[in-house]
Amino acid sequence: MLITVVKSKIHRVKVTGADLNYIGSITIDEDLMDGANIVEGEKVQIVNNNNGHRLETYAIPGPRGSGEITLNGAAARLVSPGDVLILITYAQMTMEEARSFKPSLLFPNEENNLLT
């Protein structure tokens, strides 16, 4: 049996942009993706602390050190620049694996989304 557990979490980042005319996804500063062990194309759950919306899309890397968090495509309608988000990825594993697994938890600077 496999269970689904939290693999990565970027806690409390601010939306820097919303691009309705892009092909969908969430653009995340590549430093944040690396720090949270998120890979390009990985499914990401997005929780908006400001309005309660929850949605899923996939990650694409943004410029390193930019702090960029941009929702693209239809998801852009569910956020506003400045909204605070929690980004979560999940992994499936056996119960035995899950007991010893440690997720990657990232707490960037809430003012600029950077790691420093």
Side-chain angles (χ1 to χ4, degrees):
M1 173 175 60
L2 297 178
I3 63 169
T4 303
V5 299
V6 172
K7 177 187 142 292
S8 308
K9 179 177 172 183
I10 302 176
H11 191 75
R12 296 186 60 85
V13 288
K14 285 186 182 174
V15 174
T16 60
D19 186 353
L20 186 60
N21 296 311
Y22 192 81
I23 300 174
S25 68
I26 181 170
T27 304
I28 304 170
D29 177 326
E30 198 165 4
D31 285 342
L32 296 176
M33 287 179 64
D34 288 348
N37 195 26
I38 297 172
V39 298
E40 184 173 357
E42 186 171 358
K43 181 177 172 180
V44 179
Q45 181 182 43
I46 300 160
V47 180
N48 187 326
N49 283 357
N50 290 76
N51 62 26
H53 282 292
R54 289 176 170 253
L55 63 119
E56 293 178 342
T57 189
Y58 60 93
I60 61 172
R64 286 188 182 280
S66 67
E68 181 176 359
I69 301 290
T70 299
L71 274 290
N72 302 302
R77 294 192 183 276
L78 302 177
V79 300
S80 296
D83 282 359
V84 175
L85 308 179
I86 298 170
L87 311 178
I88 308 163
T89 66
Y90 299 90
Q92 292 188 328
M93 58 190 71
T94 66
M95 188 74 77
E96 183 177 307
E97 290 170 323
R99 285 194 171 100
S100 61
F101 178 77
K102 300 294 181 216
S104 298
L105 306 176
L106 203 60
F107 300 89
N109 181 315
E110 288 188 39
E111 294 303 313
N112 58 17
N113 295 338
L114 300 178
L115 296 177
T116 56

